[in-house]
Amino acid sequence: MEYLLNQVVNGVCQGAIYALMAIGYSVIVGVVGMVTFTYGEIMMIGAFGAFYSFQYFGNNLPLAILLAFSSSFLLGIVVYKVCYEKFFNAPRHISLLCTIGFSMLMKNLAQIVFGPETKPMINIIHNETFTLRLAGVAVDFKLLQIIVMLLVVFFAVSLTLFFNRTRWGVALRAVSQNKQAAYLMGINVRRTAMLGNCIGCGFGGIAGILLSIYYYAVSATIWGNFSMKAFSASVLGGLVDLRLSALGGLCMGLIENLGITVSSATFRDVFSFSFLILILIIRPQGFAAKKGSRV
Amino acid sequence: MSQTMLKVENLTVYYGYINALSHVNIEVNEGEIITLIGGNGAGKTTTLMSISNLVEKAEGKVTFRTTDITRTQPDKIVKLGMSHVPEGRKIFPQLTVYENLIAGTFGQPKISKPRIAELVEENYVLFPRLKERAKQPGGSLSGGEQQMLAIARGLMMDPALIMLDEPSLGLAPIIVEEIFELIRKIRSRGKTVLLIEQNASMALSIADRGYVLETGRVTLTGTGRELLVNPEVKRAYLGV
């Protein structure tokens, strides 16, 4: 029982990071209008940005997050210029293939530049554990987990506020809902789409640093898997709905960690992707309700 | 005669090999309601889309006031003071009614908050029903309300010329009358209106002048009243 509850805590924490990944992914898909396959490398750049920040500027978490965000943001500009801008009026699969190619290039360049080995990222957050006793059952919270969850909530809330309260946010939502109508409003759709793409990427970068803090390591090769998880979580939420994507990420994290209580930790991905397939068989639209909105 | 607001000369558009428009000439003067009528596939919507530069022109020149906008990006055209209310409304279904209206002001990044509030208030006077539903998502409105929202959004740009693409499409007759009444009101506020309609009798009855489009060509032009009694138009569009 105790083990199970502790796994729930782990699951929620990991799910929170997945949720942040999925939110970033959904923002990108929404404003650009198609799925991307460079997301893993975006997160990687964020993680390495943070790694070097820790190395050169010491143990400064806010600074590392800022650097992770901005390095992924900048890579987002590159991705946008290379993969989308030139192909706006071309068939969609061209951009899609372009993102796949860009992702391979980045993955291999990263191994040349950063090295192929796994780098440790330890003692970022003091290793402390709080124990909560409820009716004789002890549940452990690591300080790391608490900070990670708080950060995820903070960034998710600020993004929501940005989208709902600012003119830029409304413009981004307008672009993701109907590009042609957005043009007719006088919105510079390309520049807005680029900004949205970069914001999504920046959130990917933050998810990248949180993941590497969570796993105490950063490497250039593991990100394909996380990219697939971000994609799956966002599919669960119907691809463009931020809240439901976050819910999808949370569910995947929970299912993974509950799954490995009954089997080995190497089967982690089996559980999350089976969950995805199961949900999609039952509800092809994901968690999204088919609201009767007339367009 | 007042000034020329919009001048379309020799406009030709191809969709692949299909000639959608050939050598269309249209002139809109300040303060007028001009209507473009014609059946399905006559090229009405294409004309508007190419004025807004949403489709590629093969030939021709579009002048707005004194500016040549033939090759201007769609979002820049809006900034010059021309707003295009697209066919099928195309409101943003997940934005609230208020946010949809705000979206109309994005063309002018320097617009001040009081000015926005003023424009919103003006639109609420014209469309009282939008005020009641300001907090609802646009997608939850009825068809007629969505059309009003689309027009209101177009007016939020504070344009000199507003182009309406089939505002009566798919609406109940009583709502259609309401919409046409609104178009009159919009003109009386000093805006120029370019109206595209299938509902020829309604459109011609409020229009100063009209153009009849047939398979991509302007076949007839005249004042609204002339066209209403023209036997050709009567036979083809009014079903008399």
Side-chain angles (χ1 to χ4, degrees), chain A residues 163-168 170-175 177-190 240 291-295, chain B residues 49 52 54 73-75 78-79 84 86 90 92-95 99 102-108 111 116 139 141-143 146 153 157:
Chain A
F163 270 120
N164 289 330
R165 296 285 162 83
T166 66
R167 273 169 75 78
W168 274 103
V170 177
L172 279 167
R173 280 157 68 213
V175 166
Q177 282 173 41
N178 193 332
K179 295 201 172 40
Q180 204 184 39
Y183 258 126
L184 294 175
M185 299 301 105
I187 298 174
N188 187 335
V189 172
R190 291 177 187 213
V240 290
K291 273 183 232 141
S293 67
R294 278 174 276 195
V295 186
Chain B
M49 302 256 276
S52 294
L54 289 167
Q73 283 294 315
D75 52 289
V78 173
K79 294 186 175 90
H84 178 169
K90 301 232 169 77
F92 302 112
Q94 276 142 38
L95 300 187
E99 284 169 338
I102 294 297
T105 63
F106 286 140
Q108 304 132 297
I111 192 167
I116 293 179
L141 302 185
S142 74
Q146 289 194 9
R153 192 181 60 178
M157 299 168 200

Side-chain angles (χ1 to χ4, degrees), chain B residues 114-185:
Chain B
R115 180 68 188 133
I116 293 179
E118 201 179 306
L119 281 168
V120 170
E121 230 19 78
E122 265 175 39
N123 274 304
Y124 283 161
V125 173
L126 264 182
F127 308 89
R129 225 165 325 161
L130 295 183
K131 187 171 188 176
E132 293 164 25
R133 302 183 193 271
K135 294 259 183 293
Q136 282 183 24
S140 70
L141 302 185
S142 74
E145 288 163 345
Q146 289 194 9
Q147 184 62 59
M148 290 176 194
L149 177 56
I151 298 176
R153 192 181 60 178
L155 289 172
M156 283 298 288
M157 299 168 200
D158 201 13
L161 170 69
I162 181 163
M163 306 194 289
L164 305 170
D165 197 344
E166 301 223 18
S168 76
L169 189 73
L171 300 181
I174 185 153
I175 310 281
V176 173
E177 275 180 37
E178 212 174 306
I179 298 263
F180 277 94
E181 198 44 52
L182 276 168
I183 294 173
R184 276 215 193 99
K185 275 193 202 157

